[in-house]
Amino acid sequence: YVYISDFNNHRIQKFAPGYPNWEQNNINGFGDQRVQMIPSMVVFKDYLYAGTWFYDGEKENSQIWRSADSKNWEMVGTDFGVGVSHMIEFNDKLYAGTWDGNLFYSGDGESWTPITDPGLETGIARFEVYNGSLYLSTWNEVTGTQIWRSENGISWNKMAGDFERLNNNGAISSEVFNGNLYYGVYNMVDGAELWRFNGSAWTKVFDKGLGDT
């Protein structure tokens, strides 16, 4: 099956090949319409996890829900920060990051431990696992996106990146391909950029939105 979360109706729907339509797999907003977005999903230890963004007109918050059958959901955490932007499994633990730079991990998907070591001043955009290390990229609208790396998921080091500059506001997508780590960078002014990391050096693959800013 393929699962998708949508913005306007804050639903998770399931697509099964051979079926003509999508099937909604949760109650709208998990029963609370103030839960307006599901920006992240991940599979961890036979559960499907969904990270949410909660907004009641004044306060922003977040929750994490999980399901073993994609239909019956339980909330396994709240008060993470402003929206669970991304989640990933690393070293048999589940990691969750937020748009306001909070970072948590869990060994069982129910009990969560905050990580304060990075001291991130900007929001977390994306996680990726590469060469046995955990990477995270950030949103930074002041000096540009940052990439951080951890060998153990607890202690983090900021990496130097040539793309860390004004207007490169976030490294919002990533993938490992042919032994390299790739990051797609959001730049609304100059056009999108794509960068490649081979484990020691960064190389710009393209910039300026491939000719269309």
Side-chain angles (χ1 to χ4, degrees):
Y1 298 108
V2 177
Y3 293 87
I4 188 170
S5 58
D6 68 55
F7 173 77
N8 288 328
N9 295 303
H10 28 82
R11 300 175 298 184
I12 292 177
Q13 300 186 78
K14 177 178 72 176
F15 173 73
Y19 285 70
N21 298 305
W22 290 83
E23 174 187 338
Q24 184 171 347
N25 274 209
N26 76 323
I27 300 172
N28 284 11
F30 296 103
D32 187 343
Q33 289 190 351
R34 295 174 299 179
V35 177
Q36 297 183 9
M37 190 186 302
I38 304 169
S40 58
M41 301 179 72
V42 70
V43 175
F44 176 68
K45 293 187 176 180
D46 298 323
Y47 284 92
L48 176 63
Y49 286 78
T52 72
W53 174 65
F54 175 102
Y55 183 59
D56 62 7
E58 295 182 359
K59 180 183 178 182
E60 294 181 86
N61 209 327
S62 55
Q63 303 165 345
I64 294 179
W65 293 73
R66 76 176 182 183
S67 175
D69 59 6
S70 78
K71 294 183 179 180
N72 298 292
W73 293 86
E74 62 174 339
M75 187 171 66
V76 291
T78 188
D79 295 326
F80 294 95
V82 180
V84 180
S85 55
H86 199 217
M87 295 183 287
I88 198 170
E89 180 178 354
F90 175 69
N91 283 353
D92 203 36
K93 294 182 176 62
L94 179 58
Y95 285 78
T98 70
W99 281 316
D100 53 343
N102 296 327
L103 182 59
F104 298 82
Y105 73 89
S106 175
D108 59 9
E110 297 180 84
S111 302
W112 298 88
T113 301
I115 301 173
T116 57
D117 180 78
L120 300 176
E121 298 177 356
T122 56
I124 295 171
R126 178 84 180 174
F127 292 108
E128 192 63 72
V129 176
Y130 173 64
N131 283 353
S133 295
L134 180 59
Y135 289 72
L136 70 81
S137 59
T138 70
W139 285 97
N140 189 325
E141 297 182 0
V142 179
T143 59
T145 184
Q146 302 170 359
I147 306 294
W148 293 68
R149 177 173 62 191
S150 176
E151 307 275 331
N152 56 16
I154 305 298
S155 300
W156 294 79
N157 293 297
K158 179 184 171 185
M159 303 181 65
D162 293 336
F163 53 80
E164 184 184 338
R165 61 179 184 273
L166 188 66
N167 299 331
N168 278 349
N169 296 142
I172 60 175
S173 64
S174 60
E175 190 57 80
V176 176
F177 178 68
N178 283 347
N180 295 296
L181 173 60
Y182 287 81
Y183 271 102
V185 178
Y186 167 75
N187 187 320
M188 192 173 181
V189 177
D190 306 310
E193 298 183 0
L194 181 65
W195 288 80
R196 179 178 65 232
F197 181 62
N198 64 6
S200 59
W202 294 94
T203 301
K204 182 163 57 179
V205 180
F206 69 75
D207 60 5
K208 299 179 181 179
L210 285 172
D212 188 347
T213 58

